[in-house]
Amino acid sequence: MKKVILGLSALCMVAFTSCKDDAASKVKSENVAVAAERDANAGDLPSISFDKTEHDFGTIENGTPVETTFKYTNTGNSMLVVSNIKSTCGCTVPSNWTKEVAPGETGEFTVKFNGKGNGNKVSKSITMTTNTEKGKEVVKITAFVEKDPNAPARTAPATTGTNPLATPAVKSSTQPGHEGHNHD
């Protein structure tokens, strides 16, 4: 039995080693050159710096549109490309952005905010999709939105003196033969 197992093991070993191809023969020299150039230029990614990363509008009236401009500079060594800018909700609209910024140059975009709230602090994020190392850059806007004076006042539910969630007391008979009968 040992000879059979030893023989099968040797046969499997020969089969597995003969199936291996020479990996070096499959590498194309043109792909190696492209990868080497890419790796050499990896340090030349664009980099972005902002004049501000957050803007506070302070206290604004409910439903009053406000806007601000964010400026950004390409501090890297290659062209900065801003492919998209979006916000976390429809009340914040980024627009008019500079799509390509050469090294050392400055771009900008405008953010319009139509604040609606109920007397609370609001914070919104604006995300830029770029070709920087991170791929996404985030700036924020904040504001305290005053309560709408025309909004209907919220009233507390009326109380009747009893707890509507309480289980009502159940009266039941103790007479023989009346088990399970409720007597109100």
Side-chain angles (χ1 to χ4, degrees):
M1 184 70 172
K2 285 185 179 179
K3 289 183 180 181
V4 173
I5 293 175
L6 186 61
L8 285 173
S9 298
L11 182 62
C12 288
M13 200 159 137
V14 169
F16 287 129
T17 56
S18 67
C19 292
K20 283 188 176 176
D21 290 332
D22 182 21
S25 67
K26 292 184 177 181
V27 175
K28 294 182 179 177
S29 60
E30 61 203 40
N31 290 345
V32 172
V34 169
E37 183 180 342
R38 180 198 65 223
D39 292 345
N41 293 331
D44 290 340
L45 288 173
S47 184
I48 192 168
S49 65
F50 292 92
D51 65 335
K52 59 186 174 186
T53 56
E54 186 169 329
H55 180 80
D56 186 356
F57 288 109
T59 301
I60 62 173
E61 289 184 35
N62 192 320
T64 302
V66 291
E67 69 178 57
T68 188
T69 300
F70 286 92
K71 293 184 181 185
Y72 48 95
T73 302
N74 180 355
T75 56
N77 297 321
S78 62
M79 183 69 74
L80 170 67
V81 178
V82 180
S83 58
N84 193 17
I85 301 179
K86 62 182 177 179
S87 68
T88 52
C89 79
C91 63
T92 308
V93 181
S95 62
N96 302 327
W97 70 86
T98 309
K99 294 182 182 358
E100 293 185 355
V101 181
E105 298 295 317
T106 300
E108 65 183 29
F109 66 94
T110 303
V111 175
K112 295 179 182 176
F113 175 63
N114 188 4
K116 295 192 182 204
N118 195 19
N120 54 357
K121 181 95 171 178
V122 178
S123 179
K124 303 293 177 185
S125 296
I126 297 97
T127 304
M128 302 172 66
T129 303
T130 65
N131 64 335
T132 59
E133 187 174 356
K134 291 193 301 185
K136 298 210 181 281
E137 305 292 333
V138 178
V139 295
K140 293 183 179 186
I141 60 166
T142 59
F144 182 85
V145 182
E146 292 180 339
K147 186 175 180 176
D148 184 356
N150 299 322
R154 292 186 183 187
T155 58
T159 58
T160 59
T162 59
N163 183 353
L165 300 177
T167 306
V170 177
K171 299 177 189 173
S172 61
S173 174
T174 58
Q175 297 288 327
H178 288 234
E179 293 86 4
H181 292 252
N182 294 336
H183 298 277
D184 291 18

